[in-house]
Amino acid sequence: MMAYSFRRASALGLIAASTLALAGCMTETTYRPATGVGFSREGYSERQIEPNRFQVTFAGNTMTSRDTVERYLLFRSAELTVQQGYDYFVMADRDTDKRQRTYATPSFGGGFGYGYGGWGPRWRYYGRGFGWRSWDPFWGDPFFDRSVDIDTVEKYEATAEIVMGKGPKPAGNVRAFDARSVMANIGPTVVLPK
């Protein structure tokens, strides 16, 4: 009896831990330095091109909207401008990419038994080009192969090349931003890591 209780407690602990881990993955990317590489990269990064010129990037995860990614890019550009001792920045170039990746994973239940407890309704049908196939209401869709699940994941990454300057921003230039004004206006909407 003791071994059964320990196994059950271990299983419940594993389920709870995996649920918390999954819940942690299901939130927007917070405003923080970039982590990860390639498609898994999230957060901001920058690269200095000249003394007053930088390339700034913000990459979100699959739960981060395009609006949030672009807003965080603008905020990081303003923050970097102030950190470098400048007052304004001009966006010389700006782009937002939508990146996609498709995954194929084995589905749960493909080919197992006849429904719950080994019994249940099951239909067989002949598919032209596929031969005889079967379907039951507990284990999948009658029109697709149940051995593989196809998931497409989308995420956004925004990049800007900025040129920094001192003094008031150039009048009439719609690509010029006062760094401190941007930080004051966008700052309250920025979500920092806990």
Side-chain angles (χ1 to χ4, degrees), residues 156-192:
Y156 293 98
E157 181 173 307
T159 304
E161 188 174 311
I162 63 170
V163 180
M164 302 170 183
K166 293 187 179 184
K169 73 177 186 177
N173 187 344
V174 295
R175 293 179 175 238
F177 297 88
D178 179 274
R180 286 172 183 78
S181 294
V182 170
M183 291 174 64
N185 292 323
I186 294 179
T189 67
V190 173
V191 178
L192 299 172

mmCIF file of all heavy atoms in Angstrom, residues 156-192:
data_model
loop_
_atom_site.group_PDB
_atom_site.id
_atom_site.type_symbol
_atom_site.label_atom_id
_atom_site.label_comp_id
_atom_site.label_asym_id
_atom_site.label_seq_id
_atom_site.Cartn_x
_atom_site.Cartn_y
_atom_site.Cartn_z
ATOM 1 N N TYR A 156 6.761 36.660 -34.067
ATOM 2 C CA TYR A 156 7.206 37.898 -34.704
ATOM 3 C C TYR A 156 8.563 38.333 -34.162
ATOM 4 O O TYR A 156 8.862 38.135 -32.984
ATOM 5 C CB TYR A 156 6.190 39.021 -34.461
ATOM 6 C CG TYR A 156 4.876 38.779 -35.144
ATOM 7 C CD1 TYR A 156 3.798 38.248 -34.447
ATOM 8 C CD2 TYR A 156 4.710 39.061 -36.489
ATOM 9 C CE1 TYR A 156 2.587 38.010 -35.071
ATOM 10 C CE2 TYR A 156 3.502 38.833 -37.124
ATOM 11 C CZ TYR A 156 2.447 38.309 -36.411
ATOM 12 O OH TYR A 156 1.254 38.075 -37.042
ATOM 13 N N GLU A 157 9.348 38.950 -35.063
ATOM 14 C CA GLU A 157 10.629 39.531 -34.697
ATOM 15 C C GLU A 157 10.757 40.865 -35.424
ATOM 16 O O GLU A 157 10.617 40.925 -36.639
ATOM 17 C CB GLU A 157 11.775 38.597 -35.075
ATOM 18 C CG GLU A 157 13.137 39.145 -34.695
ATOM 19 C CD GLU A 157 14.246 38.131 -34.913
ATOM 20 O OE1 GLU A 157 14.131 37.015 -34.403
ATOM 21 O OE2 GLU A 157 15.213 38.477 -35.606
ATOM 22 N N ALA A 158 10.974 41.936 -34.657
ATOM 23 C CA ALA A 158 11.102 43.282 -35.233
ATOM 24 C C ALA A 158 12.554 43.740 -35.135
ATOM 25 O O ALA A 158 13.215 43.513 -34.125
ATOM 26 C CB ALA A 158 10.192 44.252 -34.506
ATOM 27 N N THR A 159 13.031 44.393 -36.193
ATOM 28 C CA THR A 159 14.402 44.892 -36.252
ATOM 29 C C THR A 159 14.389 46.339 -36.751
ATOM 30 O O THR A 159 13.617 46.672 -37.647
ATOM 31 C CB THR A 159 15.249 44.030 -37.217
ATOM 32 O OG1 THR A 159 15.186 42.679 -36.800
ATOM 33 C CG2 THR A 159 16.690 44.481 -37.248
ATOM 34 N N ALA A 160 15.243 47.148 -36.160
ATOM 35 C CA ALA A 160 15.369 48.536 -36.605
ATOM 36 C C ALA A 160 16.840 48.938 -36.564
ATOM 37 O O ALA A 160 17.585 48.502 -35.698
ATOM 38 C CB ALA A 160 14.557 49.471 -35.713
ATOM 39 N N GLU A 161 17.223 49.783 -37.513
ATOM 40 C CA GLU A 161 18.534 50.412 -37.468
ATOM 41 C C GLU A 161 18.284 51.846 -37.049
ATOM 42 O O GLU A 161 17.499 52.556 -37.686
ATOM 43 C CB GLU A 161 19.210 50.351 -38.835
ATOM 44 C CG GLU A 161 20.636 50.806 -38.808
ATOM 45 C CD GLU A 161 21.317 50.597 -40.148
ATOM 46 O OE1 GLU A 161 21.206 49.491 -40.703
ATOM 47 O OE2 GLU A 161 21.965 51.561 -40.618
ATOM 48 N N ILE A 162 18.908 52.243 -35.931
ATOM 49 C CA ILE A 162 18.671 53.580 -35.404
ATOM 50 C C ILE A 162 19.954 54.401 -35.409
ATOM 51 O O ILE A 162 21.043 53.865 -35.248
ATOM 52 C CB ILE A 162 18.070 53.536 -33.979
ATOM 53 C CG1 ILE A 162 19.029 52.883 -32.978
ATOM 54 C CG2 ILE A 162 16.730 52.814 -33.980
ATOM 55 C CD1 ILE A 162 18.598 53.019 -31.524
ATOM 56 N N VAL A 163 19.785 55.710 -35.619
ATOM 57 C CA VAL A 163 20.881 56.667 -35.550
ATOM 58 C C VAL A 163 20.544 57.629 -34.417
ATOM 59 O O VAL A 163 19.465 58.223 -34.401
ATOM 60 C CB VAL A 163 21.061 57.436 -36.874
ATOM 61 C CG1 VAL A 163 22.212 58.429 -36.765
ATOM 62 C CG2 VAL A 163 21.277 56.472 -38.025
ATOM 63 N N MET A 164 21.451 57.776 -33.451
ATOM 64 C CA MET A 164 21.206 58.582 -32.259
ATOM 65 C C MET A 164 21.789 59.981 -32.412
ATOM 66 O O MET A 164 22.782 60.169 -33.106
ATOM 67 C CB MET A 164 21.832 57.908 -31.041
ATOM 68 C CG MET A 164 21.328 56.511 -30.799
ATOM 69 S SD MET A 164 22.315 55.697 -29.533
ATOM 70 C CE MET A 164 21.571 54.073 -29.521
ATOM 71 N N GLY A 165 21.156 60.940 -31.731
ATOM 72 C CA GLY A 165 21.640 62.317 -31.781
ATOM 73 C C GLY A 165 21.404 63.044 -30.467
ATOM 74 O O GLY A 165 20.630 62.586 -29.622
ATOM 75 N N LYS A 166 22.086 64.183 -30.311
ATOM 76 C CA LYS A 166 21.953 64.999 -29.092
ATOM 77 C C LYS A 166 21.164 66.259 -29.398
ATOM 78 O O LYS A 166 21.187 66.765 -30.521
ATOM 79 C CB LYS A 166 23.326 65.336 -28.523
ATOM 80 C CG LYS A 166 24.055 64.108 -28.012
ATOM 81 C CD LYS A 166 25.342 64.467 -27.306
ATOM 82 C CE LYS A 166 25.992 63.166 -26.794
ATOM 83 N NZ LYS A 166 27.181 63.404 -26.020
ATOM 84 N N GLY A 167 20.482 66.771 -28.344
ATOM 85 C CA GLY A 167 19.673 67.971 -28.502
ATOM 86 C C GLY A 167 18.245 67.608 -28.864
ATOM 87 O O GLY A 167 17.837 66.450 -28.784
ATOM 88 N N PRO A 168 17.464 68.616 -29.288
ATOM 89 C CA PRO A 168 16.076 68.326 -29.666
ATOM 90 C C PRO A 168 16.021 67.517 -30.958
ATOM 91 O O PRO A 168 16.911 67.624 -31.809
ATOM 92 C CB PRO A 168 15.447 69.707 -29.841
ATOM 93 C CG PRO A 168 16.587 70.646 -30.005
ATOM 94 C CD PRO A 168 17.789 70.029 -29.356
ATOM 95 N N LYS A 169 14.981 66.685 -31.087
ATOM 96 C CA LYS A 169 14.861 65.872 -32.299
ATOM 97 C C LYS A 169 14.629 66.763 -33.517
ATOM 98 O O LYS A 169 14.059 67.854 -33.379
ATOM 99 C CB LYS A 169 13.743 64.847 -32.157
ATOM 100 C CG LYS A 169 12.355 65.412 -32.214
ATOM 101 C CD LYS A 169 11.302 64.319 -32.130
ATOM 102 C CE LYS A 169 9.926 64.940 -32.334
ATOM 103 N NZ LYS A 169 8.879 63.972 -32.341
ATOM 104 N N PRO A 170 15.074 66.359 -34.690
ATOM 105 C CA PRO A 170 14.899 67.165 -35.899
ATOM 106 C C PRO A 170 13.418 67.411 -36.193
ATOM 107 O O PRO A 170 12.628 66.462 -36.244
ATOM 108 C CB PRO A 170 15.544 66.321 -37.003
ATOM 109 C CG PRO A 170 16.412 65.334 -36.301
ATOM 110 C CD PRO A 170 15.817 65.124 -34.952
ATOM 111 N N ALA A 171 13.047 68.638 -36.349
ATOM 112 C CA ALA A 171 11.658 68.992 -36.642
ATOM 113 C C ALA A 171 11.284 68.518 -38.044
ATOM 114 O O ALA A 171 12.078 68.603 -38.972
ATOM 115 C CB ALA A 171 11.472 70.502 -36.533
ATOM 116 N N GLY A 172 10.086 67.995 -38.158
ATOM 117 C CA GLY A 172 9.589 67.558 -39.463
ATOM 118 C C GLY A 172 10.016 66.168 -39.886
ATOM 119 O O GLY A 172 9.591 65.687 -40.930
ATOM 120 N N ASN A 173 10.872 65.519 -39.146
ATOM 121 C CA ASN A 173 11.297 64.165 -39.493
ATOM 122 C C ASN A 173 10.409 63.172 -38.740
ATOM 123 O O ASN A 173 10.526 63.013 -37.528
ATOM 124 C CB ASN A 173 12.768 63.945 -39.132
ATOM 125 C CG ASN A 173 13.295 62.622 -39.632
ATOM 126 O OD1 ASN A 173 12.543 61.719 -39.997
ATOM 127 N ND2 ASN A 173 14.613 62.492 -39.651
ATOM 128 N N VAL A 174 9.502 62.498 -39.459
ATOM 129 C CA VAL A 174 8.549 61.575 -38.821
ATOM 130 C C VAL A 174 9.227 60.305 -38.299
ATOM 131 O O VAL A 174 8.631 59.567 -37.528
ATOM 132 C CB VAL A 174 7.390 61.203 -39.767
ATOM 133 C CG1 VAL A 174 6.552 62.424 -40.089
ATOM 134 C CG2 VAL A 174 7.908 60.536 -41.028
ATOM 135 N N ARG A 175 10.464 60.082 -38.680
ATOM 136 C CA ARG A 175 11.197 58.899 -38.196
ATOM 137 C C ARG A 175 12.043 59.214 -36.960
ATOM 138 O O ARG A 175 12.735 58.349 -36.460
ATOM 139 C CB ARG A 175 12.088 58.348 -39.296
ATOM 140 C CG ARG A 175 11.305 57.772 -40.445
ATOM 141 C CD ARG A 175 12.243 57.272 -41.520
ATOM 142 N NE ARG A 175 11.514 56.609 -42.560
ATOM 143 C CZ ARG A 175 11.720 55.358 -42.941
ATOM 144 N NH1 ARG A 175 12.667 54.649 -42.371
ATOM 145 N NH2 ARG A 175 11.012 54.828 -43.892
ATOM 146 N N ALA A 176 11.992 60.454 -36.496
ATOM 147 C CA ALA A 176 12.768 60.872 -35.327
ATOM 148 C C ALA A 176 11.897 60.798 -34.079
ATOM 149 O O ALA A 176 10.727 61.174 -34.101
ATOM 150 C CB ALA A 176 13.289 62.290 -35.522
ATOM 151 N N PHE A 177 12.482 60.274 -32.981
ATOM 152 C CA PHE A 177 11.758 60.102 -31.718
ATOM 153 C C PHE A 177 12.573 60.676 -30.568
ATOM 154 O O PHE A 177 13.778 60.428 -30.477
ATOM 155 C CB PHE A 177 11.528 58.612 -31.436
ATOM 156 C CG PHE A 177 10.662 57.923 -32.453
ATOM 157 C CD1 PHE A 177 11.221 57.370 -33.599
ATOM 158 C CD2 PHE A 177 9.297 57.820 -32.258
ATOM 159 C CE1 PHE A 177 10.434 56.728 -34.538
ATOM 160 C CE2 PHE A 177 8.499 57.173 -33.189
ATOM 161 C CZ PHE A 177 9.065 56.628 -34.331
ATOM 162 N N ASP A 178 11.914 61.420 -29.691
ATOM 163 C CA ASP A 178 12.535 61.879 -28.458
ATOM 164 C C ASP A 178 12.567 60.677 -27.514
ATOM 165 O O ASP A 178 11.522 60.145 -27.137
ATOM 166 C CB ASP A 178 11.725 63.022 -27.849
ATOM 167 C CG ASP A 178 12.347 63.509 -26.553
ATOM 168 O OD1 ASP A 178 12.036 62.914 -25.491
ATOM 169 O OD2 ASP A 178 13.143 64.466 -26.600
ATOM 170 N N ALA A 179 13.744 60.237 -27.135
ATOM 171 C CA ALA A 179 13.904 58.989 -26.374
ATOM 172 C C ALA A 179 13.188 59.030 -25.033
ATOM 173 O O ALA A 179 12.506 58.063 -24.647
ATOM 174 C CB ALA A 179 15.391 58.683 -26.183
ATOM 175 N N ARG A 180 13.309 60.113 -24.304
ATOM 176 C CA ARG A 180 12.682 60.188 -22.975
ATOM 177 C C ARG A 180 11.154 60.218 -23.074
ATOM 178 O O ARG A 180 10.461 59.650 -22.238
ATOM 179 C CB ARG A 180 13.228 61.383 -22.204
ATOM 180 C CG ARG A 180 14.652 61.129 -21.716
ATOM 181 C CD ARG A 180 15.312 62.368 -21.096
ATOM 182 N NE ARG A 180 16.690 62.095 -20.717
ATOM 183 C CZ ARG A 180 17.722 62.054 -21.552
ATOM 184 N NH1 ARG A 180 17.547 62.266 -22.840
ATOM 185 N NH2 ARG A 180 18.944 61.801 -21.117
ATOM 186 N N SER A 181 10.613 60.862 -24.097
ATOM 187 C CA SER A 181 9.155 60.869 -24.303
ATOM 188 C C SER A 181 8.646 59.467 -24.622
ATOM 189 O O SER A 181 7.607 59.049 -24.124
ATOM 190 C CB SER A 181 8.773 61.820 -25.440
ATOM 191 O OG SER A 181 9.053 63.146 -25.089
ATOM 192 N N VAL A 182 9.392 58.749 -25.458
ATOM 193 C CA VAL A 182 9.005 57.375 -25.791
ATOM 194 C C VAL A 182 9.001 56.514 -24.538
ATOM 195 O O VAL A 182 8.054 55.765 -24.282
ATOM 196 C CB VAL A 182 9.953 56.778 -26.863
ATOM 197 C CG1 VAL A 182 9.725 55.283 -27.026
ATOM 198 C CG2 VAL A 182 9.780 57.487 -28.192
ATOM 199 N N MET A 183 10.041 56.628 -23.725
ATOM 200 C CA MET A 183 10.111 55.837 -22.486
ATOM 201 C C MET A 183 8.979 56.189 -21.530
ATOM 202 O O MET A 183 8.387 55.307 -20.904
ATOM 203 C CB MET A 183 11.466 56.028 -21.815
ATOM 204 C CG MET A 183 12.607 55.390 -22.599
ATOM 205 S SD MET A 183 14.238 55.749 -21.910
ATOM 206 C CE MET A 183 14.132 54.961 -20.330
ATOM 207 N N ALA A 184 8.644 57.474 -21.429
ATOM 208 C CA ALA A 184 7.570 57.900 -20.524
ATOM 209 C C ALA A 184 6.209 57.408 -20.996
ATOM 210 O O ALA A 184 5.369 57.006 -20.190
ATOM 211 C CB ALA A 184 7.567 59.421 -20.397
ATOM 212 N N ASN A 185 5.981 57.414 -22.299
ATOM 213 C CA ASN A 185 4.674 57.031 -22.836
ATOM 214 C C ASN A 185 4.485 55.515 -22.966
ATOM 215 O O ASN A 185 3.399 55.012 -22.730
ATOM 216 C CB ASN A 185 4.438 57.701 -24.191
ATOM 217 C CG ASN A 185 4.271 59.198 -24.067
ATOM 218 O OD1 ASN A 185 3.667 59.680 -23.109
ATOM 219 N ND2 ASN A 185 4.819 59.932 -25.014
ATOM 220 N N ILE A 186 5.528 54.814 -23.358
ATOM 221 C CA ILE A 186 5.414 53.366 -23.567
ATOM 222 C C ILE A 186 5.771 52.579 -22.301
ATOM 223 O O ILE A 186 5.250 51.489 -22.072
ATOM 224 C CB ILE A 186 6.297 52.919 -24.754
ATOM 225 C CG1 ILE A 186 5.758 53.534 -26.040
ATOM 226 C CG2 ILE A 186 6.340 51.403 -24.882
ATOM 227 C CD1 ILE A 186 6.532 53.198 -27.259
ATOM 228 N N GLY A 187 6.618 53.154 -21.465
ATOM 229 C CA GLY A 187 7.084 52.467 -20.255
ATOM 230 C C GLY A 187 6.006 51.791 -19.420
ATOM 231 O O GLY A 187 6.180 50.642 -19.006
ATOM 232 N N PRO A 188 4.858 52.441 -19.162
ATOM 233 C CA PRO A 188 3.838 51.788 -18.329
ATOM 234 C C PRO A 188 3.226 50.528 -18.938
ATOM 235 O O PRO A 188 2.649 49.710 -18.233
ATOM 236 C CB PRO A 188 2.756 52.889 -18.189
ATOM 237 C CG PRO A 188 3.479 54.169 -18.397
ATOM 238 C CD PRO A 188 4.560 53.863 -19.384
ATOM 239 N N THR A 189 3.366 50.342 -20.254
ATOM 240 C CA THR A 189 2.806 49.142 -20.892
ATOM 241 C C THR A 189 3.799 48.012 -21.023
ATOM 242 O O THR A 189 3.453 46.921 -21.477
ATOM 243 C CB THR A 189 2.272 49.478 -22.302
ATOM 244 O OG1 THR A 189 3.381 49.828 -23.160
ATOM 245 C CG2 THR A 189 1.280 50.624 -22.257
ATOM 246 N N VAL A 190 5.048 48.242 -20.633
ATOM 247 C CA VAL A 190 6.106 47.237 -20.769
ATOM 248 C C VAL A 190 6.048 46.277 -19.585
ATOM 249 O O VAL A 190 6.032 46.707 -18.432
ATOM 250 C CB VAL A 190 7.491 47.910 -20.863
ATOM 251 C CG1 VAL A 190 8.609 46.896 -20.822
ATOM 252 C CG2 VAL A 190 7.575 48.740 -22.136
ATOM 253 N N VAL A 191 6.009 44.973 -19.883
ATOM 254 C CA VAL A 191 5.952 43.948 -18.844
ATOM 255 C C VAL A 191 7.362 43.429 -18.585
ATOM 256 O O VAL A 191 7.989 42.866 -19.484
ATOM 257 C CB VAL A 191 5.026 42.784 -19.256
ATOM 258 C CG1 VAL A 191 5.023 41.707 -18.182
ATOM 259 C CG2 VAL A 191 3.621 43.286 -19.530
ATOM 260 N N LEU A 192 7.850 43.657 -17.367
ATOM 261 C CA LEU A 192 9.188 43.198 -16.985
ATOM 262 C C LEU A 192 9.097 41.803 -16.372
ATOM 263 O O LEU A 192 8.067 41.420 -15.806
ATOM 264 C CB LEU A 192 9.803 44.176 -15.983
ATOM 265 C CG LEU A 192 9.980 45.609 -16.495
ATOM 266 C CD1 LEU A 192 10.398 46.523 -15.363
ATOM 267 C CD2 LEU A 192 10.993 45.644 -17.615
#
